[in-house]
Amino acid sequence: MAKKRPQTKGAQTKAGQPQLTDGEIPVVGAREPCPCGSGRRYKACHGRAAAQAATELVSRPFEGLPGECDWVALRELVPAATVPLSLKGGLPDGVPSVTLATVLPMAWPALRREDGSVLIGLQNDTSSGDLGRDLADTLERALVAEPGTPVSARRVPAEGPRLQDLLAADGVFEPVVHTGFEFWIPESESAANASPEIAASLERANAAAIPTVKLTGVDAAYWCETPEKNHLRWVMPHAEEKLLDALARLHAAGETSLGEGTRLVGSFRAHGLMVPVWDLPTGTTAEHVEKPAAQFAERLAKALATDAPLTAEERRARGGLTNRQVTLS
C-alpha cells in the first residue's frame, strides 16, 4: 500500500477547506470545528493557544502600583487588613469610598454596602493568570452594583483593564492591620445584627487569624505570632539576584540577625518579589524587632550597593539561601 504523502502548506483538508495562518483564525465555541480546517474541535486545536494566552501568568501583577510590596503582603501574609484606595478621576457619584480588604465574608470578591461604599477582597481565587486584571474587573462591577449586594466571581475578559489603569498612580497605600474581621460590619451597625451566614463566617475567620503587626520603621515588614515561634516576613522590592547577593554578604559576615535568638531561615517568592523570613523566639514582639529591623535595613542598603564578586564563603551562603527558597505564586 502506498504511503500517504504529508500535506504541504496550503493543502486542502478533508472538508476541502484551505489551511489558515494563525493570525487569521477567529475564536469560536470550544466544541465547534476549528476554523483552521484541521477537522479537530477548537478546544483541542487553536483554542489551546487562546486558553493559554488568557491564563498566562503575570509574574508581578502589582508592579507600578503605590505600595507594591504591601499589596503582596496583604495578598499572601496578612490575615486581616484594609486600605483605602484612590481611583483615577476620583470616586463616581454615589460611591463614598473604595476599600481594599484582605478577605470578605463568604469569600465574596467584592461587596457594595447599603451606603454605596465598596469593599474589594484581595485573597480570592482568580480566573486568569493576571491578578491585576481580575481585581480590576471586580472593582468595575462593584462600582455599578446595586447597593447592599455582593459581587460574584466570573471569568474575566482577556483584554479588560488592569488595576494600574483604574487606580491613581499618586495614591497613598497605607494598610491598617486589624486583630479580627469586625471591619466587615459597618460602624453604624452591630455584629449582633449581622445575618447568620455573616456571623458564622466572622467567627470562623477570627478563630483562624494569626496575630500580625506591621512594623512602622521599615516598609512592608510584618511580624506574626504562631504557637511554636514568632516570625518576621519582609517583602522587598529589590531584584532577586541582587538581593540574594546582598543577603549572602551579610549572612557570611554574621550580620543578618535581628537580635538574640533570631535567625534568617530563608525566603519565598510571591508575585515577582522576594520575601526573606526570620524566626524569632516566642515572646519576641513586633516592638522588640523595630530597632533591629531598621539597623538591618541600613546594612542591607550598603550590601546592595556593593558590586565586588562574592567570596567563596559568600557563595556558599548564597547557595544555602537559594536552597531554602519557596515560590508561592
Side-chain angles (χ1 to χ4, degrees):
M1 182 180 293
K3 294 182 179 179
K4 293 182 179 179
R5 291 183 299 172
Q7 287 186 336
T8 58
K9 185 176 180 180
Q12 298 289 317
T13 66
K14 292 180 180 179
Q17 298 174 340
Q19 293 280 354
L20 303 177
T21 65
D22 287 349
E24 298 172 334
I25 297 168
V27 176
V28 298
R31 300 180 65 85
E32 295 181 30
C34 187
C36 75
S38 67
R40 292 179 291 173
R41 290 177 176 175
Y42 179 69
K43 69 176 183 179
C45 192
H46 282 84
R48 288 181 176 177
Q52 182 178 358
T55 59
E56 185 175 356
L57 180 66
V58 175
S59 61
R60 287 182 65 177
F62 308 120
E63 185 175 14
L65 291 174
E68 179 187 8
C69 293
D70 284 308
W71 277 92
V72 172
L74 266 58
R75 169 72 181 182
E76 300 295 340
L77 308 178
V78 182
T82 55
V83 189
L85 297 180
S86 300
L87 306 186
K88 287 183 177 179
L91 295 168
D93 291 340
V95 180
S97 64
V98 174
T99 302
L100 181 74
T102 47
V103 180
L104 294 179
M106 275 77 77
W108 288 329
L111 168 67
R112 189 166 186 202
R113 287 176 164 164
E114 292 286 357
D115 66 354
S117 61
V118 167
L119 289 175
I120 303 293
L122 181 57
Q123 295 179 11
N124 291 313
D125 293 335
T126 56
S127 63
S128 78
D130 187 351
L131 181 56
R133 179 167 286 112
D134 292 337
L135 289 167
D137 178 78
T138 299
L139 173 56
E140 286 194 318
R141 290 187 292 134
L143 292 172
V144 296
E146 288 294 324
T149 60
V151 173
S152 60
R154 75 167 186 177
R155 184 172 293 278
V156 176
E159 297 183 355
R162 307 185 70 242
L163 280 176
Q164 290 81 348
D165 301 318
L166 303 182
L167 300 184
D170 58 352
V172 177
F173 194 83
E174 295 182 350
V176 176
V177 178
H178 304 275
T179 57
F181 294 86
E182 283 72 20
F183 63 84
W184 288 352
I185 312 299
E187 293 181 1
S188 59
E189 300 179 15
S190 169
N193 297 327
S195 69
E197 294 83 2
I198 291 181
S201 185
L202 178 61
E203 184 177 357
R204 290 193 300 270
N206 280 343
I210 296 174
T212 301
V213 176
K214 185 180 188 299
L215 299 195
T216 60
V218 295
D219 292 334
Y222 291 81
W223 168 95
C224 69
E225 180 182 21
T226 65
E228 297 80 18
K229 61 185 67 176
N230 298 345
H231 305 279
L232 183 72
R233 300 177 290 187
W234 193 340
V235 187
M236 296 187 172
H238 318 291
E240 181 175 327
E241 296 303 312
K242 188 74 172 176
L243 180 55
L244 280 170
D245 283 352
L247 290 174
R249 296 181 197 278
L250 295 177
H251 193 68
E255 295 183 344
T256 56
S257 173
L258 298 179
E260 184 177 355
T262 68
R263 186 166 68 97
L264 176 64
V265 293
S267 64
F268 56 84
R269 301 182 189 91
H271 306 292
L273 298 182
M274 188 171 157
V275 187
V277 178
W278 283 261
D279 279 353
L280 310 173
T282 300
T284 300
T285 67
E287 290 77 10
H288 290 149
V289 294
E290 282 280 8
K291 184 176 180 180
Q295 293 170 338
F296 175 82
E298 295 178 359
R299 298 195 298 272
L300 180 63
K302 293 179 181 178
L304 286 166
T306 302
D307 293 325
L310 296 180
T311 65
E313 186 177 1
E314 290 167 348
R315 289 196 299 272
R316 286 193 294 271
R318 193 185 196 281
L321 291 169
T322 302
N323 291 336
R324 296 194 297 273
Q325 277 189 308
V326 176
T327 301
L328 295 184
S329 55

